[in-house]
Amino acid sequence: MKILAVDTSCDESCAAIIDTEEWKLLADVVHSHVDSMKNFGGIVPEIASREHLKGLPLAIHEALETARLTPKSIDHYVVTNRPGLIGALLVGLSFTKSLAFSSQKPFSTLNHIEAHLFSPLLTTLEGHEAPPFPWIACVVSGGHTEIFHVESFFKYTWLGGTLDDAAGEAFDKVGKLLKLSYPAGPKIDKWVRESANDAHRTRYKFPRAKTESHTLSFSGLKTAVALQVKKSDLSNPDEVLAIAASAQEAILDALVGKLLETQKMLGVRNLVLNGGVACNSRLREKLPSAHFPIPKHCTDNAAMVALLAGYYAKHNRLTPEPWNTTAYPSLDTLALNTRGEK
Ligand code: KG4
Ligand code: ZN
C-alpha cells in the first residue's frame, strides 16, 4: 500500500510517501517558509496559510515525481488536522481531501504531535533498530513541550508539559531580545557551540523554574533575560554571547532536569526526544544516552506522518474518514490518552 502524507501544521509545507509492503520511504519533501517570516520576528499565521497555498502543491508534486507515482496510484491520503495554526491546517486538509476526492481514494487524519512522538521509529525504514519500549518521550518544539510515557505503539499517556511558553519559543524570544532573526534557536545553538566557553555559559544565573512533576515554565526566564538586556551593552558581542549562552543553559537545564526526574519517577530507561529543539547540540551533549532522530526528522516533516500512517495501516486502524472532517488548533490530550482504548 502506498500512502501519501501531508503536514501543514506550522510554517513548513511537507509531503512524504511510504510504501507499507516494502516498509520504505519513497519521498520526503519539506518546503520551509522561514524566509517569508524573517522580517516579522516570528510566525505570522496568515502568511503561513498563504505560503502553504504556494508551497504545498509544489511539495506534493515533487514527492510524486520523486516516487514516480501519480495521484491515482496512491492508495490512501493522510493529513495532520491537529494541533497547529488553524489556517495552515485548513490549507493542508482541503488540498489533501481534494486530491483524495478527485482520485477516488480514501483519506484519513492524524495528530501532528502523535507523529512527532513516534518519529524515533523512522530508523526502522532504513532497516535500523529503534529504541525498545517503554519510553519517556518529549516533543520539544516552537509550539510544544509535551512529555509522554509510551508503553507500546498504541498505549501511551500524556504526562504534562509547559505551563506557558514552549522551549523553542523561549529560545526565539531570547533571540528577539538579543536582536537575532527568527528562528533564533538554531542560531543560538551554533553561535554558542562555536564561540562560547564555560565562563559565558555561567555568567548569568537565569532561573530554572521549580514546577510540579512533568511540568515546565519558561516565562520567568524570559523576564529575567529582558531585565538583563536592559542593563547590558548589546553593542558588545561578548556580552550578547554570554546572555545567549547563559539563557540556553537555563532552558536546557530545566528541560533535562525535568526529563531525568520523570524517568526516575516512572522507572523508564529509554528517553526519546523530538521537535525542533531536539536538534540542539548542547541538549544532545547533556543527554548522551537519549535517542534523537536525525535533525531533519526532528523539525516538522511529513515522513513522521507517513510512518505513523504506515503503523496505523499495519494495525488495521487507518480508517477512511468522511468528507466533512475538519481541523482543530488544539492538541486534545484527552483524545491522545484514550487512543489505546479504541
Ligand atoms: O519542530 P519545529 O520545526 O516547528 C514547530 O514549532 O512545530 O521547531 C521549531 C522550533 C523553533 O522555536 C526553533 O527556534 C527551535 O525549534 N529550534 C532550535 C534548534 N533548531 C530549531 N532550538 C534550539 N536549538 C536548535 N538547534
Ligand atoms: Zn511540529
Side-chain angles (χ1 to χ4, degrees), residues 7 9-12 43 112-113 116 139-144 166-173 182-190 193 248 252 274-283 298-301 304:
D7 190 283
S9 56
C10 195
D11 61 344
E12 270 116 7
I43 297 170
H112 175 81
I113 296 296
H116 269 304
V139 179
V140 59
S141 69
H144 293 273
E169 199 177 353
F171 269 100
D172 297 335
K173 284 181 175 170
Y182 173 84
K187 295 178 188 99
I188 293 177
D189 177 14
K190 184 166 183 283
R193 182 177 66 239
Q248 171 168 277
L252 299 182
N274 188 261
V277 179
C279 296
N280 187 279
S281 57
R282 182 79 178 142
L283 177 62
C298 283
T299 50
D300 283 350
N301 65 85
M304 64 184 188

